[in-house]
Amino acid sequence: MLYHSTNNPAHQVDLKEAVLRSLPPDNGLYMPNTLPTLGEDFWKIWRDLSFQEIGYAVADAFFGEDVPEEALSEIVDGTLEFDAPVVTLAPGDHILELFHGPTLAFKDFGARFMARLMAWLTRAEDRELTVLVATSGDTGGAVASAFHHVEGTRVFILYPKGKVSGLQEKQLTTLGGNIHALEVDGTFDDCQRLVKSAFLDRELSERMNLTSANSINLSRLAPQSFYYIHSARQIEAKPVFVVPSGNFGNLTAGLLARQLGLSVEKFVAATNINDVVPAYLQSGTYTPRPSAATISNAMDVGAPSNFARMEAIFEKSWDAMRGKISGVSYTDDETRAAIREVKETLDYTIDPHGAVGWLAARQWREDHPGSETITLETAHPSKFLDVMNEELGPNPVEIPERLAILADRQKVAHPLTMDEAAFKDWLATQ
Ligand SMILES: *Cc1c(COP(=O)(O)O)cnc(C)c1O
């Protein structure tokens, strides 16, 4: 399969380049030349398949031309070491829990698949693959955990000193092995600048076999479409998927599941006040703008990076996109009230991102009686203890064991200044 840039259909690359490069040089996004579909044979039996079996079929549809079946099923097995259960809160009100992975957020699915696919794509090279990633918190943890112990790879994570939460820092700095944390005396933007400077140094980049684990990497989307199919088969009705969205990778993965042949009534894009996409769906005008801080901070995005992919899927037709996606946004006050209401009336603890989705789902069911919504719960509430404490009182959520044990682990991080030359010199000696 060949992949092209959304900015230039003539710029075509193979799977290895699309995955290891992450971004085309023209700043577009990579898309497969033909969007894969699953045949009738699959849709005859899909309701009886396991999560893993759905994963094999979808991965094969995307990557089967380039990756042999045995390697692909190992990649899928390594990705899906935990479940994504559907919990029904009330008739028609379903929650898809995507937080049962090692870092308690849905990003584990994409990051684990990407790590294993990258390792396979570079298996014949005698040099290690060096992954450089800058993080403001959560992405770094998912990437670190995903690459931990993956053979032939090592990871350098740059994070801003004193600007990530205590537990986030532990997630980055306590793994050891092939994961190296670099504590930068600067901001997240400085971390990103340092990473960029290493990539722009062609000689260094070649010699160290550098790659980025960027969140818009194409290989993160395919595994995210697994759970749309896995959850849809657990309800009778044609599902309405409600997706709490920031960069719109998760929602794009849902669109890919629909292209594969999944029957979907509607996608509801639920955002906080960073509502660039809901506003576009309303008005037809796309106006990116700087993001504003909210309590659902993983969705604080003012220029969603997957929008170009969504446009490509709907062939740049506003009407076509509106026909399949509805958009709605909520304030922090509404989100806080929803966290309390879900607890009091349904006895379920929902995180701020999921709460934005739950509000949108309720609105949809009110406007369309009889429909069934599946709301993606993108993170475990214990990742947002401050907000949960404020709304639900002391100790509202139990911290899962895999997060709690980190508190006692020893932090290991290499200190860095913001100086690009010093960073590159240091990296070259590693
Ligand atoms: C990343 C993230 C989102 C937003 O997902 P996108 O794919 O960027 O739209 C939502 N919730 C949580 C908890 C996240 O970590």
Side-chain angles (χ1 to χ4, degrees):
M1 172 92 81
L2 288 178
Y3 298 82
H4 63 271
S5 165
T6 51
N7 277 352
N8 175 10
H11 173 81
Q12 305 210 344
V13 298
D14 64 9
L15 176 68
K16 183 169 177 179
E17 182 150 354
V19 170
L20 293 182
R21 272 227 180 173
S22 224
L23 267 182
D26 60 17
N27 264 329
L29 296 177
Y30 283 121
M31 282 294 274
N33 277 0
T34 44
L35 292 175
T37 55
L38 284 165
E40 231 174 84
D41 287 352
F42 176 85
W43 295 110
K44 260 187 217 148
I45 55 166
W46 69 294
R47 283 185 188 270
D48 299 320
L49 299 177
S50 66
F51 196 9
Q52 277 77 8
E53 286 167 332
I54 290 169
Y56 303 146
V58 173
D60 184 59
F62 276 95
F63 307 115
E65 270 179 40
D66 300 292
V67 187
E69 193 175 322
E70 196 180 322
L72 210 44
S73 47
E74 259 179 47
I75 293 170
V76 172
D77 284 338
T79 303
L80 299 182
E81 283 181 352
F82 43 89
D83 196 14
V86 174
V87 176
T88 298
L89 300 184
D93 185 0
H94 310 282
I95 301 281
L96 170 58
E97 292 185 344
L98 298 175
F99 55 68
H100 294 273
T103 70
L104 312 173
F106 81 89
K107 290 190 175 72
D108 282 328
F109 288 96
R112 291 169 72 83
F113 190 92
M114 175 178 65
R116 285 160 179 78
L117 183 60
M118 280 185 172
W120 186 83
L121 289 169
T122 54
R123 71 206 174 285
E125 293 175 15
D126 49 13
R127 307 175 299 165
E128 276 179 320
L129 182 69
T130 304
V131 180
L132 276 191
V133 56
T135 187
S136 57
D138 269 349
T139 302
V143 168
S145 160
F147 279 92
H148 195 211
H149 298 317
V150 172
E151 234 175 275
T153 70
R154 59 185 182 154
V155 181
F156 293 92
I157 302 171
L158 289 78
Y159 72 97
K161 179 177 176 174
K163 295 188 179 67
V164 302
S165 80
L167 269 178
Q168 281 176 334
E169 184 173 42
K170 292 280 183 172
Q171 285 186 319
L172 304 173
T173 59
T174 60
L175 288 168
N178 61 334
I179 309 298
H180 309 276
L182 307 176
E183 185 177 22
V184 178
D185 198 357
T187 62
F188 170 61
D189 291 333
D190 293 318
C191 295
Q192 272 196 311
R193 193 169 42 75
L194 291 179
V195 165
K196 247 194 198 144
S197 75
F199 281 112
L200 287 175
D201 187 329
R202 294 287 298 253
E203 193 273 328
L204 179 71
S205 171
E206 278 291 311
R207 189 156 48 82
M208 309 241 358
N209 209 11
L210 292 185
T211 192
S212 97
N214 202 297
S215 70
I216 49 188
N217 197 293
L218 169 97
S219 64
R220 286 179 144 195
L221 295 181
Q224 289 177 202
S225 60
F226 299 173
Y227 48 68
Y228 282 90
I229 299 174
H230 173 60
S231 60
R233 82 199 160 89
Q234 297 177 54
I235 70 168
E236 289 294 323
K238 201 167 160 181
V240 174
F241 284 107
V242 184
V243 190
S245 295
N247 265 325
F248 282 79
N250 220 357
L251 197 135
T252 302
L255 298 176
L256 294 176
R258 178 171 165 262
Q259 294 295 140
L260 286 164
L262 179 66
S263 179
V264 177
E265 180 66 32
K266 196 88 173 183
F267 292 94
V268 179
T271 71
N272 55 36
I273 55 166
N274 295 286
D275 64 348
V276 171
V277 172
Y280 167 75
L281 292 166
Q282 281 289 326
S283 70
T285 313
Y286 183 65
T287 319
R289 58 168 194 262
S291 66
T294 75
I295 56 167
S296 48
N297 57 17
M299 310 200 296
D300 295 349
V301 179
S305 54
N306 279 289
F307 186 71
R309 285 194 172 114
M310 294 165 66
E311 274 203 304
I313 289 171
F314 290 106
E315 295 171 338
K316 301 216 162 168
S317 159
W318 175 57
D319 273 331
M321 196 188 288
R322 264 184 356 143
K324 218 55 227 180
I325 309 175
S326 154
V328 58
S329 71
Y330 294 95
T331 64
D332 277 0
D333 283 346
E334 291 168 316
T335 308
R336 287 178 183 277
I339 291 171
R340 295 193 301 271
E341 186 177 348
V342 170
K343 182 67 186 179
E344 282 158 19
T345 62
L346 300 163
D347 196 25
Y348 187 78
T349 309
I350 200 160
D351 97 290
H353 304 78
V356 169
W358 183 82
L359 283 166
R362 178 171 66 180
Q363 187 63 53
W364 181 271
R365 291 193 311 276
E366 273 172 22
D367 295 344
H368 305 83
S371 59
E372 300 206 22
T373 54
I374 299 179
T375 303
L376 278 59
E377 170 55 317
T378 48
H380 192 277
S382 66
K383 292 193 96 169
F384 308 95
L385 273 185
D386 289 354
V387 177
M388 302 313 293
N389 280 326
E390 283 158 17
E391 299 315 315
L392 304 182
N395 306 318
V397 266
E398 207 166 307
I399 301 182
E401 177 75 14
R402 58 196 183 285
L403 199 58
I405 53 167
L406 294 181
D408 299 326
R409 297 241 173 103
Q410 194 63 36
K411 159 185 163 184
V412 179
H414 180 83
L416 278 184
T417 66
M418 305 189 272
D419 186 62
E420 292 175 15
F423 168 58
K424 290 196 291 182
D425 285 347
W426 177 82
L427 192 62
T429 63
Q430 298 303 302

